[in-house]
Amino acid sequence: MKIFKFGGASVNNVDRIRQLADILRLYPDDKKMVVISAMGKTTNALEKVVKAFFDGRKEEALQLFEHIKKQHLNTAKYLLVTSANATDARLLDFFTEVEWALHDKPVKDFDYYYDQIVCVGELFSSTIISAYLNEQGINNIWTDVRDIFRTDDHFRNAGIDREQTEKNIRDKVVPFFDEYDIVVTQGFIGATDENESTTLGREGSDYSAAVFGNLLGAEDVTIWKDVAGIMNADPKIFPAAVVMPELSYDELIEMAYYGAQVIHPKTIKPLENKNIPLVVKCFIDPALPGTVIHHKTIKNLPPVFVIKQNQALLHLHSRDFSFIGEHAVSRLYHLLAQKNITPNLIQTDAVTLMVCIDDMEDEIGQLAAAASEIFDVQVEKGLSLLTIRHYTEETAAEMTAGKYIVLKQQSPHTVQFLLR
Ligand code: ASP
Ligand code: MG
């Protein structure tokens, strides 16, 4: 059993979907669970629909949704022949559900509506793709993952109920494979035990694929992306970036922690627990080997560069010239936890605590206001945070040449520079 996950970019248009079929043909002998994201930027577009609806701009919400409908109907029209009518009918059912919701007045939380509406992106794309594959002779069955992934009702960031989901997989998914080689389903979404739709957090389809991998005991999980594999730097910023053929789970977690946008960080745990390799492959050129992530410790990795732009540094000075001790530190962590802010770097000296966080206007304002009850607060903006894993003194010097270093933090494996 293999799990294949196709992200938004790999199902973005008619040509990409045809390519997806070609990729499946390369693996004729395997049972495959195919996990699909919403097409291209559909999730962003649906977010705008929810926002307009929630702000009481109903006509605008309906209009924005109309556009999304048309895009999907057009894609279906180009791809489908014999199953065109049946697929349109299924899409129309989903459309109607959303439109009903949009005609109501919002009475519940934003996050609740977000999930009821945004979840359809994955339902649309997977419906079209499943039909297309069947027309191409790639027999598969479509299944609604909301009947499989049972979650809590933490809307927009729902947690999976492992026990119930495992049972659903055993009862509802495993039997499909007696008859079909391929089951097509959605990433990113699930449902509560009251059948309310939920989402697992933006970019959560990687995680969905990993959960399927874990619960189905897959031989591996492959994420098909528009890059050649996982690179040691963003090739748009570092033209000399190279693909790393092999990584350990730990290394990938570290990279994600420092801000590399490669794989959703929640993806690793379910795979690591069962020692299931994660493979990142290029859907534009499936012959490329891509990157394999597994348990092995990999020696001689090149320096890995991660840059986070838009950083803010909070300088928190103790008011009475007392040393920064456990009380001040614990107050700071408490504030961060309260505001749900993850610090990217923290450094302490005698009378100052320095905290680097993503520059989000609202959060910084709130944090600074709360912290000013105990500290004198100064905020510095417009910084960037450079992290180098497996650095050498030369690479570090080269990368920071000509820049002003506001802060530096160093361990044997990792060096970080906050740069102005
Ligand atoms: N479609 C969702 C998103 O764009 C989930 C995903 O792509 O993984 O966030
Ligand atoms: Mg995506």
Side-chain angles (χ1 to χ4, degrees), residues 282-339:
C282 178
F283 65 72
I284 300 157
D285 188 355
L288 292 175
T291 301
V292 182
I293 301 110
H294 48 187
H295 251 309
K296 280 190 219 151
T297 315
I298 316 298
K299 295 218 176 72
N300 302 324
L301 282 175
V304 174
F305 305 98
V306 184
I307 294 184
K308 275 190 145 208
Q309 305 286 3
N310 257 330
Q311 298 296 297
L313 183 66
L314 271 68
H315 301 254
L316 311 173
H317 304 277
S318 93
R319 278 258 167 73
D320 51 7
F321 222 70
S322 61
F323 289 158
I324 295 289
E326 60 279 23
H327 293 297
V329 176
S330 98
R331 284 297 285 273
L332 171 70
Y333 275 98
H334 187 71
L335 280 178
L336 291 169
Q338 234 177 18
K339 310 266 173 228

Side-chain angles (χ1 to χ4, degrees), residues 161-179:
D161 172 345
R162 197 192 145 92
E163 222 168 283
Q164 191 56 46
T165 301
E166 189 161 18
K167 183 174 179 325
N168 290 341
I169 288 189
R170 217 173 28 239
D171 296 349
K172 300 179 188 172
V173 178
V174 171
F176 282 145
F177 284 106
D178 293 339
E179 228 178 301

